[in-house]
């Protein structure tokens, strides 16, 4: 992407933000779509009682329905998770409008798509609107069963942490370089 020019900094920044927003929305749409498609296939092809091993006992396919959050915590508060997920999804919409880099567009898109993928289950899956159970099918040993939205959320959060740490390192390096340059010019 071109850097903002001194002649038109606001227009260039606005174009960059709009392009980054579209990239964020596209990543989110792909993630949410892939998540919902994979869940539809899982509902059609998998069983709650039989596990299909993919990597021995470490990874397999088995259908599960989660009324709670990660590790089925809060099973009796499904409606609270629906409200929280909706707030997060709308909140990310506002954050996405301020993104100006491709790396952050992808990162936020992964998180947004994962949040929307699981929110759709909460809104439209059984047992009813706003109380729906999240469809899971990726069995990680005997630890937990998740889905593609969960993977996108975790990867997005890890990338967010890495981008934040990298940005701090880059800022510190730039500041040290500027200080060193100023010191050399003073002599």
């Amino acid at each position: 992407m071109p850097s903002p020019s001194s002649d038109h900094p606001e227009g260039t920044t606005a174009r960059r933000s709009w392009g980054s927003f579209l990239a964020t929305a596209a990543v989110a749409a792909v993630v949410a779509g892939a998540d919902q498609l994979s869940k539809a296939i899982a509902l059609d092809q998998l069983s709650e009682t039989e596990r299909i091993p993919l990597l021995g006992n470490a990874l397999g396919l088995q259908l599960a329905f989660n009324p709670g959050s990660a590790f089925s915590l809060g099973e009796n508060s499904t409606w609270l998770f629906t409200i929280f997920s909706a707030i997060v999804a709308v909140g990310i919409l506002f954050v996405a409008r301020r993104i100006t880099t491709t790396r952050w567009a992808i990162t936020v898109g992964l998180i947004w798509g994962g949040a929307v993928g699981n929110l759709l289950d909460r809104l439209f899956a059984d047992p009813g609107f706003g109380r729906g159970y999240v469809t899971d099918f990726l069995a990680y040993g005997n630890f937990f069963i998740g889905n593609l939205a969960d993977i996108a959320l975790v990867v997005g959060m890890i990338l967010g942490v890495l981008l934040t740490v990298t940005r701090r390192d880059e800022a510190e390096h730039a500041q040290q370089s500027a200080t060193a340059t100023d010191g050399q010019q003073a002599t």
Side-chain angles (χ1 to χ4, degrees):
M1 279 186 228
S3 62
S5 73
S6 57
D7 297 334
H8 305 288
E10 290 179 22
T12 304
T13 302
R15 279 193 302 274
R16 186 181 322 154
S17 294
W18 181 245
S20 293
F21 174 78
L22 291 177
T24 304
V27 170
V30 167
V31 167
D35 175 67
Q36 290 298 301
L37 178 62
S38 65
K39 288 173 179 175
I41 293 168
L43 286 167
D44 186 56
Q45 301 291 320
L46 299 177
S47 160
E48 288 182 79
T49 58
E50 181 182 331
R51 182 174 294 191
I52 300 170
L54 296 177
L55 294 173
N57 290 330
L59 180 66
L61 299 173
Q62 183 175 356
L63 191 60
F65 301 98
N66 185 356
S69 67
F71 305 105
S72 296
L73 298 173
E75 291 181 4
N76 296 322
S77 302
T78 301
W79 62 275
L80 285 174
F81 294 113
T82 303
I83 292 170
F84 177 74
S85 296
I87 291 169
V88 167
V90 171
I92 292 174
L93 171 68
F94 291 103
V95 169
R97 294 175 51 206
R98 302 181 67 123
I99 294 171
T100 58
T101 69
T102 302
R103 292 183 292 184
W104 276 106
I106 292 167
T107 299
V108 173
L110 287 169
I111 295 169
W112 196 11
V116 168
N118 283 338
L119 175 60
L120 290 171
D121 285 5
R122 299 246 181 247
L123 290 174
F124 301 113
D126 288 334
F129 184 79
R131 299 176 295 115
Y133 295 175
V134 173
T135 302
D136 290 328
F137 59 91
L138 296 169
Y140 300 93
N142 290 323
F143 299 109
F144 64 94
I145 301 177
N147 57 48
L148 293 184
D150 299 336
I151 293 170
L153 284 164
V154 169
V155 170
M157 288 183 202
I158 290 169
L159 287 175
V161 169
L162 291 174
L163 287 174
T164 301
V165 168
T166 303
R167 184 174 176 196
R168 283 190 194 137
D169 288 346
E170 289 172 357
E172 288 175 10
H173 179 69
Q175 185 178 16
Q176 289 171 354
S177 295
T179 303
T181 302
D182 289 345
Q184 289 175 351
Q185 290 175 355
T187 58

